[in-house]
Amino acid sequence: MGIHPQAELRGHALIVTVSSDDGRPVLDRRAYESLARTFHEAADDDDVRVVVLRGLAGCFCLGGDFSEFLDATKHQRLIAAVTDMFRMLATFPKPILACVDGDAVGVGCTILFHCDMVIASSKSTFRVPFVDFGLVPDAATSILAPQKLGYAGAFRFFCLGDTLGAEDARALGLVAEIVAEGSVEEAALARARQLAKKPVAALLQTRGLLKGDTGVLCDRIDREISLFQQALQDDTTLRRLQRIARLAA
């Protein structure tokens, strides 16, 4: 039986842990499915006014599960799960906050671009090594990253694969606040409580206006996923991923 941490409702804030089904700091197919299901339910639950994403102790998320990338028999269900989760993030109607205390890598970083606020500890780092792996960005970050970081910042972050520390991430606009280690979750919950006290309709309408047309994001998600899937069929990319997987083992 999986030990994926259950979502926890505190007041009107739903705390969701980003990890694999068996408690690793990566996302596998079942984790994508679980996250999508949680967000679908939260969207329809009037008791939930804010969602707070958190990682495991000392780490936010190290990205996707490489073993699923390398197993072609898993690609179809993996792509379906990833697409559903990304589309849910893009269209979710309520505020999403993230508390990051450690490393946020790959998809563990790109999901942060869908958050309205990212609160991080000073030790947190952010990296998106997709190009190094022979892959393209995901989660519509080919749109969201230039919007948030500016084109030059997004180019360096995605194409050079630079690792951002917390201060650099705040300077670029990815991180909203930096707090002391050990107090990240409470800081995020304090912001969540602030938001939960706002008039609900006005808050959601204002957020929707700020977000704009989410259909554009969904179209880009589909395009990125298509390119990602093509890359997983390329022999050179697969050999590169196999080599990286061996080094990480």
Side-chain angles (χ1 to χ4, degrees), residues 166-188:
E167 289 290 353
D168 289 335
R170 180 170 61 177
L172 285 172
L174 177 58
V175 167
E177 298 177 5
I178 298 175
V179 299
E181 292 178 30
S183 62
V184 181
E185 185 172 325
E186 184 50 46

Side-chain angles (χ1 to χ4, degrees), residues 107-131:
V107 67
C109 184
T110 55
I111 61 176
L112 299 177
F113 284 86
H114 290 277
C115 296
D116 300 283
M117 290 185 68
V118 176
I119 298 169
S121 69
S122 58
K123 74 172 185 179
S124 298
T125 64
F126 306 83
R127 184 167 180 253
V128 280
F130 295 105
V131 171

Side-chain angles (χ1 to χ4, degrees), residues 4 38 41 76 92 112 134 145 149 157 186 213 219 231 234 243:
H4 187 80
T38 298
E41 293 170 354
Q76 185 174 354
F92 190 69
L112 299 177
L149 310 180
F157 193 38
E186 184 50 46
D213 184 4
D219 289 343
D234 178 75
R243 184 168 62 253

